[in-house]
Amino acid sequence: MVTAQAPGKLYIAGEYAVVETGYPAIIVALNQFVTVTVEQTENYGSIVSKQYREDSILWQRQGDAMVFDNRDNPFHYILSAIKLTEQYARELGKPLALYDLFVDSDLDSESGKKYGLGSSAAVTVATVKALNEFYELQMTKDEIYKLSAIAHLEIQKNGSLGDIAASVYGGWIAFTTFDKTWLAAEMRLHSLAELIRMPWPELSIEELTAPNQLQLLIGWTGSPASTSRLVDKIAVACESKKDEYSQFLKKSRAIVSKMIEGFHAHSLDVIQQEIRSSRKALESLAELSGVEIETNTLIKLADLAEKSGAAGKSSGAGGGDCGIAIIDRSADASMLAKAWASHGIEVLDFKVHDFSTV
Ligand code: PMV
Ligand code: MG
């Protein structure tokens, strides 16, 4: 029997721009995990997941056809991760086995609370890691990232794959996505084994160290949001506003680059300043696209953070889920937690997960 875990994540800055090749984001892994266990069996295999069930399906009409949208259903990421890892195992000449695969997740509570911590990425990585051990494939972190990214891309199609990087590397990372057009072309020419050993153009994952006095507070709005549908909406809206969109991209790159320098210089001030700039840049994207990124609750969350001397913003695609505040460790974070609570925002008491310290 083998067991593997992969953490959930939160975006700190660079959202939306990071979907494009060459635009960085900062992402952090949290100590909330998806755990996958694989046990050899006979006659029948099974896939059992407490939290992820196919109990409802989303679909659209395209002409007379009923077209399913499985992007928010973690079950499909499990199946994709299995398919890709087994394809890789076959390429290495490993015989395939029958097994029971169990999935357990801290990321979506059993009471149905969806925090938006990236369960689809974590479940993909945990499944790849578990089968990597089960079939003794000895993939490196880099190879696990690339295989998981391909598995995730096959289902979601429009993401940056930054959440996969946070889930594989842990801690704080600066991330820039790879050239997806290049990958699509190379996939037709190469085996998986060749693909995951190649350098991928533009892909960059840098592990960052946060200043000691930096404290991350996470506020949960209580309302779930669909990343894939928000990314779709932004893409459609920005299609007809190319100039403004490219202004936003440039702004986002400048802000995140400064924030990365802030990490290198251990400067909490710079990081906080750029959190504020990042909030403004996302506001400009919301305005130009007409997509609500900061809901009323997220506006409150960030404004209350500012009043407490912290820097606050929405995290990820916005539209609900979580917001963050970056506060000086010596400041009184409980005041902010109380202020958030009085507006229905729950503090999630999660910590940064760093693989090197476990
Ligand atoms: O809402 P989240 O935590 O899933 O973050 C989405 C971040 C985006 O940049 C909007 C999309 C992506 O895939 O990077
Ligand atoms: Mg989200």
Side-chain angles (χ1 to χ4, degrees):
M1 189 178 91
V2 299
T3 294
Q5 286 198 313
K9 62 88 202 46
L10 274 179
Y11 274 83
I12 301 298
E15 298 92 341
Y16 290 106
V18 69
V19 171
E20 309 282 352
T21 311
Y23 294 87
I26 295 179
I27 316 164
V28 69
L30 300 175
N31 65 343
Q32 296 292 299
F33 300 93
V34 170
T35 306
V36 171
T37 303
V38 180
E39 197 168 7
Q40 183 130 14
T41 181
E42 283 171 21
N43 301 326
Y44 281 99
S46 65
I47 301 169
V48 180
S49 145
K50 263 196 219 149
Q51 293 82 4
Y52 305 140
R53 289 155 204 263
E54 189 137 27
D55 53 8
S56 61
I57 292 181
L58 214 63
W59 59 275
Q60 287 177 304
R61 185 64 77 195
Q62 270 177 20
D64 285 343
M66 197 183 214
V67 178
F68 297 104
D69 183 346
N70 295 320
R71 298 177 301 174
D72 286 332
N73 186 336
F75 223 92
H76 289 268
Y77 295 88
I78 301 173
L79 297 178
S80 183
I82 293 173
K83 190 187 93 188
L84 266 300
T85 317
E86 292 208 333
Q87 185 182 331
Y88 179 62
R90 286 304 295 140
E91 286 181 15
L92 298 191
K94 304 272 180 188
L96 298 183
L98 267 173
Y99 48 82
D100 293 324
L101 188 143
F102 300 98
V103 182
D104 195 6
S105 169
D106 306 330
L107 303 180
D108 308 78
S109 75
E110 272 175 77
S111 58
K113 289 181 176 179
K114 277 181 158 296
Y115 300 128
L117 301 177
S119 40
S120 63
V123 81
T124 307
V125 175
T127 306
V128 170
K129 279 170 80 175
L131 290 174
N132 176 48
E133 278 189 47
F134 182 72
Y135 284 123
E136 298 175 344
L137 305 176
Q138 287 162 353
M139 276 189 269
T140 62
K141 272 192 179 178
D142 224 34
E143 291 163 355
I144 288 176
Y145 172 77
K146 288 173 180 162
L147 196 79
S148 305
I150 296 171
H152 198 277
L153 203 53
E154 291 208 344
I155 307 295
Q156 193 189 325
K157 298 186 173 79
N158 67 2
S160 67
L161 289 317
D163 42 8
I164 297 271
S167 199
V168 171
Y169 289 88
W172 297 80
I173 59 164
F175 171 83
T176 308
T177 201
F178 49 88
D179 183 339
K180 286 178 214 141
T181 322
W182 170 88
L183 181 66
E186 296 297 314
M187 277 177 77
R188 277 182 241 117
L189 303 173
H190 297 282
S191 67
L192 261 183
E194 286 167 345
L195 266 181
I196 66 172
R197 282 183 195 120
M198 282 179 182
W200 287 11
E202 309 267 356
L203 171 63
S204 150
I205 302 164
E206 183 198 350
E207 295 177 57
L208 300 171
T209 307
N212 284 336
Q213 74 279 29
L214 183 154
Q215 190 183 351
L216 172 68
L217 284 191
I218 307 162
W220 182 51
T221 62
S223 44
S226 164
T227 299
S228 54
R229 278 184 274 159
L230 283 158
V231 173
D232 280 349
K233 276 193 189 168
I234 296 273
V236 170
C238 290
E239 192 54 39
S240 57
K241 301 205 169 156
K242 291 222 162 76
D243 286 350
E244 286 119 305
Y245 181 56
S246 86
Q247 287 305 318
F248 160 74
L249 291 180
K250 273 194 212 136
K251 219 176 346 177
S252 178
R253 176 154 62 194
I255 292 164
V256 179
S257 303
K258 274 196 211 146
M259 201 185 287
I260 294 170
E261 280 168 28
F263 274 84
H264 292 160
H266 309 290
S267 169
L268 180 61
D269 272 356
V270 170
I271 294 169
Q272 286 181 319
Q273 205 45 54
E274 298 315 317
I275 289 283
R276 295 181 184 114
S277 308
S278 171
R279 182 184 180 196
K280 288 209 189 86
L282 286 168
E283 279 168 4
S284 73
L285 178 67
E287 201 170 317
L288 86 90
S289 63
V291 174
E292 188 185 49
I293 297 175
E294 276 193 344
T295 57
N296 288 338
T297 313
L298 285 168
I299 293 172
K300 261 267 131 13
L301 180 151
D303 288 349
L304 289 169
E306 287 304 324
K307 275 199 190 135
S308 317
K313 67 182 278 294
S314 57
S315 166
D321 286 340
C322 294
I324 53 165
I326 301 279
I327 189 166
D328 194 316
R329 206 171 282 287
S330 55
D332 187 0
S334 67
M335 293 281 286
L336 176 54
K338 271 193 209 125
W340 277 355
S342 67
H343 288 85
I345 300 162
E346 187 184 323
V347 171
L348 299 182
D349 191 19
F350 303 152
K351 301 276 171 294
V352 174
H353 171 68
D354 187 344
F355 282 110
S356 61
T357 59
V358 291

